[in-house]
Amino acid sequence: MKKTYGNITVCIYETYDEMSEHAAAFFADEIKRAPGSVLGFATGSTPVGMYRALAGMNKQGEIDFSRVRATFNLDEYYPINKTDAQSYYYFMADNLFDHINIDRSVIHIPNGQAADPAAEAKSYEQQIAAAGGIDLQLLGIGANGHIGFNEPGECFISDTHVVTLTPSTIDANSRFFDSPEAVPKQALTMGIKTIMSAKKILLVCASESKAGILRDAVTGDITPKLPASILKLHADVTVMTDAAAGKYL
Ligand code: GLP
């Protein structure tokens, strides 16, 4: 089922697997249309099915990642080692990059081991600009409405920056760690302007626990208290959900 809310197109699929297949096809179309695209990737449990589908399509010879100009991930914990199984660096290799024919040198993920995280954030922003900006950015949405790690706050922060994670995000993400104490307290994340500068955005959202926040983001007021609500100001946003997350839309 397809619906529009202002500039946002919402596609609701019965199951998570169906949503994942369509999200993968959306990325595949972009790569076929422009093999040298700059792609923005996201982590979290929601895109895992989409990454699996993309890897399958690559294996079948349906899509070719070899000419992708650059990839930029939204965020990374800070501090964290690349070898840590909970790092987004590790996640991306494990879920996507190890399974596709991409040139490793074009992959960018904020460095969770940087000695100077503020300098790393600045340099990351410059690298995105140098690549000519992002053609298609994938997003998930946090339980509190965050995109990347742009947490709810009093204002939107524009550029890639260091952020202190909220207790609710630490709690939500602690399911992947041994304990809440093991979750890094900070992260490096693209800012709201960085995300909004992407030419096209695809947000994936699944499970009933996200239904309320997704409805508020898509139909409510634009406010930094719900960072994903800013997407209403973007000209080309597609939201794909399973039936559970889309139940209020
Ligand atoms: C993390 C990531 C976000 C992601 C969110 C939702 O906090 N920084 O980019 O959207 O998790 O994750 P999940 O898909 O597991 O609900």
Side-chain angles (χ1 to χ4, degrees), residues 149-164:
F149 268 131
N150 289 275
E151 297 281 44
E154 296 308 314
C155 61
F156 291 116
I157 301 177
S158 296
D159 293 338
T160 303
H161 59 282
V162 185
V163 61
T164 297

Side-chain angles (χ1 to χ4, degrees), residues 20-77:
S20 300
E21 294 288 333
H22 281 88
F26 195 92
F27 259 78
D29 285 349
E30 173 69 21
I31 297 163
K32 286 177 197 160
R33 189 188 59 77
S37 286
V38 176
L39 304 174
F41 288 125
T43 53
S45 47
T46 314
V48 168
M50 177 193 130
Y51 290 151
R52 200 181 303 126
L54 279 176
M57 291 167 97
N58 187 224
K59 203 170 172 189
Q60 299 297 321
E62 290 167 36
I63 39 167
D64 175 18
F65 288 88
S66 68
R67 286 162 65 195
V68 166
R69 185 146 36 100
T71 72
F72 289 93
N73 261 77
L74 278 171
D75 49 12
E76 176 61 285
Y77 290 112

Side-chain angles (χ1 to χ4, degrees), residues 43-47 74-75 88 140-142 146 148-149 169 173 175-176 210:
T43 53
S45 47
T46 314
L74 278 171
D75 49 12
Y88 289 166
I141 181 170
H146 71 215
F149 268 131
T169 294
N173 291 9
R175 67 188 193 278
F176 300 113
K210 298 274 178 73

Side-chain angles (χ1 to χ4, degrees), residues 217-241:
V218 172
T219 68
D221 293 339
I222 297 169
T223 165
K225 295 194 170 73
L226 201 174
S229 65
I230 192 77
L231 297 174
K232 291 205 284 224
L233 295 182
H234 193 282
D236 193 346
V237 180
T238 301
V239 172
M240 292 188 180
T241 81

Side-chain angles (χ1 to χ4, degrees), residues 85-239:
Q86 303 313 330
S87 75
Y88 289 166
Y89 184 91
Y90 189 99
F91 174 99
M92 288 306 298
D94 198 31
N95 284 286
L96 185 65
F97 297 143
D98 281 355
H99 311 287
I100 60 174
N101 69 331
I102 195 159
D103 173 358
R104 287 291 178 134
S105 69
V106 306
I107 295 168
H108 301 80
I109 300 174
N111 181 5
Q113 294 173 269
D116 181 345
E120 168 65 15
K122 200 170 172 192
S123 142
Y124 200 69
E125 192 71 34
Q126 285 163 352
Q127 290 174 65
I128 295 171
I134 295 166
D135 294 305
L136 171 58
Q137 176 67 52
L138 179 68
L139 297 178
I141 181 170
N144 62 6
H146 71 215
I147 46 177
F149 268 131
N150 289 275
E151 297 281 44
E154 296 308 314
C155 61
F156 291 116
I157 301 177
S158 296
D159 293 338
T160 303
H161 59 282
V162 185
V163 61
T164 297
L165 301 178
T166 62
S168 96
T169 294
I170 289 175
D171 186 47
N173 291 9
S174 66
R175 67 188 193 278
F176 300 113
F177 290 80
D178 292 337
S179 67
E181 293 71 44
V183 184
K185 304 289 172 282
Q186 290 186 303
L188 286 156
T189 181
M190 284 186 196
I192 291 294
K193 191 182 79 191
T194 328
I195 293 170
M196 292 293 281
S197 301
K199 293 178 191 75
K200 207 182 287 181
I201 291 176
L202 172 65
L203 184 147
V204 288
C205 182
S207 95
E208 194 165 2
S209 62
K210 298 274 178 73
I213 201 79
L214 184 66
R215 173 201 54 210
D216 294 349
V218 172
T219 68
D221 293 339
I222 297 169
T223 165
K225 295 194 170 73
L226 201 174
S229 65
I230 192 77
L231 297 174
K232 291 205 284 224
L233 295 182
H234 193 282
D236 193 346
V237 180
T238 301
V239 172

